[in-house]
Amino acid sequence: MQQFFYPIFKYFRSMKKIVFAFFTIAFLFSCKNKEEKKLPPPPIVVNEDTVPFYPYTNYLKLEIDSIINNKLPLFKTVRDSTNKPTTTKISVAKFKILTADFLEKDVSNPTYKKNFKETVFRDLTTKSIIMNYSNKNDTMAIKNVDVHLDGRDSRLIRVDMKTIFSKPDGVIVTENYAWTFGKEFQIFRYEESKNGKGNSSTQKITWHK
């Protein structure tokens, strides 16, 4: 009798192993599919626009406020195409209007910053550090800004700006702004009409302690 049931018992024991192995494989396969169906983690967004530009307009504001608060005499010298100078004393209200042209050209403003590239180099001739901000967008009026720092103590010396834009009548206007700290600022303007004729003017504002 034992010899009769032993092959049957052996058979079912083998089948039990096979069934167990089958369900084990099925379970592992199921887990693998679940892992494959998991959504990937969201991408990490990195803000590439994190390099701060030199805050030159902050220093311009400080000097403007100092000039006004100390009630320094303000003088404007104008030169037209004949290069003949005319000097007059101007009011604080007029001074604020002229300085607003400098303050609005702030390339660190997010509206402008994305369109500018910063390049820093040392000028051995003037012993200064120059931070250049060049425009990558041809449609913008602000083309270039140069910030000049003293090479010895990194003191802000001068800020130069350049704009080029077209007037509704087709006249091309080029403006160069130069602010020398503790001394003066100048605005050079050149207008060229469609027929090639040009007209230039220079305004220099000085203050004396």
Side-chain angles (χ1 to χ4, degrees), residues 132-199:
N132 171 261
Y133 300 97
S134 56
N135 191 353
K136 300 179 290 184
N137 186 346
D138 291 337
T139 62
M140 291 184 62
I142 305 174
K143 301 302 180 185
N144 192 73
V145 174
D146 284 330
V147 177
H148 300 256
L149 306 178
D150 190 302
R152 295 163 296 183
D153 56 12
S154 298
R155 176 175 49 88
L156 182 56
I157 302 172
R158 194 174 80 248
V159 176
D160 298 326
M161 309 173 183
K162 183 177 183 178
T163 64
I164 301 175
F165 60 92
S166 299
K167 296 170 68 174
D169 59 0
V171 174
I172 306 297
V173 180
T174 301
E175 293 178 329
N176 288 302
Y177 297 78
W179 187 293
T180 304
F181 283 81
K183 185 179 180 182
E184 65 186 28
F185 69 78
Q186 296 187 59
I187 302 174
F188 172 80
R189 183 182 178 95
Y190 180 78
E191 297 186 3
E192 184 176 343
S193 60
K194 290 182 178 180
N195 59 15
K197 291 184 178 181
N199 183 41

Side-chain angles (χ1 to χ4, degrees), residues 15 87 89 92 108 200:
M15 287 298 295
T87 301
K89 192 174 182 179
V92 171
S108 65
S200 65

